[in-house]
Amino acid sequence: WSSFGVVLALPALFLFRKVLFGGETFVERDLLAFYRASRRVLANLLSGPIGLPMWNPWVGSGQPFAANPQNELFHPLSWLFAALPFEWAFRLQVILPVLAAGPAMAFLLLTLGRSRFAALFGALGWAFGGYILSTTNLPPILVGAAAAPALLAFLVRLARRPSKGDAAGAAL
């Protein structure tokens, strides 16, 4: 499996080299027009003295923050803004789903009984193919598309032989 990870990581290192090592960032379409500002609000609220940001005081004289699904407050990738500098957290919100898409597809293909080579080839095609890369400027779609093969794999496993572990994996 370690060679599997290396083969999946090398294209990512090449593809995202300017972002990882050259100081560039993501600004295409909705990333600049909406998500950068939205995540800046999230980062500011998370770093403030109030703790978990339930209210956004900066929009329309204030509005609910945690209850608004577009803020994705409870998504694990949103918590990167509490732990990392803003720019790195923002970059990783795009890069990590792309990296997760490959193993998710490999898991599905192996669950369907395909060979390790086919799973690797499918993982590379899914993670670095047109659909995943074209959704990197739409984080909610990117996260869902990256995880979809893993969900399908867990559902197939549940249909074959139900287990608590596979039910937990599907729920996650």
Side-chain angles (χ1 to χ4, degrees):
W1 283 107
S2 62
S3 60
F4 223 70
V6 169
V7 171
L8 287 172
L10 287 176
L13 287 173
F14 177 76
L15 183 65
F16 298 122
R17 69 190 178 282
K18 291 181 180 179
V19 172
L20 292 170
F21 309 113
E24 294 186 10
T25 192
F26 298 103
V27 294
E28 187 68 28
R29 291 187 40 196
D30 287 2
L31 288 174
L32 179 62
F34 177 75
Y35 290 104
R36 179 168 286 278
S38 169
R39 297 308 183 257
R40 176 57 72 187
V41 168
L42 172 67
N44 289 344
L45 289 172
L46 285 172
S47 66
I50 61 171
L52 191 63
M54 304 303 283
W55 188 259
N56 179 355
W58 297 305
V59 176
S61 297
Q63 66 175 243
F65 187 80
N68 189 336
Q70 77 180 7
N71 296 322
E72 300 174 329
L73 177 62
F74 299 107
H75 192 279
L77 289 178
S78 293
W79 289 92
L80 291 172
F81 292 98
L84 297 172
F86 175 82
E87 199 55 53
W88 275 106
F90 190 79
R91 292 172 187 167
L92 289 176
Q93 278 208 317
V94 175
I95 295 170
L96 291 178
V98 174
L99 290 176
M105 181 56 79
F107 177 47
L108 173 61
L109 293 173
L110 291 171
T111 298
L112 295 175
R114 303 307 182 258
S115 69
R116 286 176 52 94
F117 178 77
L120 178 61
F121 189 74
L124 286 168
W126 180 244
F128 303 108
Y131 186 74
I132 292 293
L133 294 182
S134 70
T135 60
T136 55
N137 59 6
L138 301 166
I141 295 172
L142 174 61
V143 169
L151 171 62
L152 291 173
F154 281 118
L155 294 176
V156 167
R157 291 167 58 117
L158 281 170
R160 290 179 181 163
R161 187 175 32 172
S163 75
K164 290 179 183 178
D166 289 333
L172 182 64

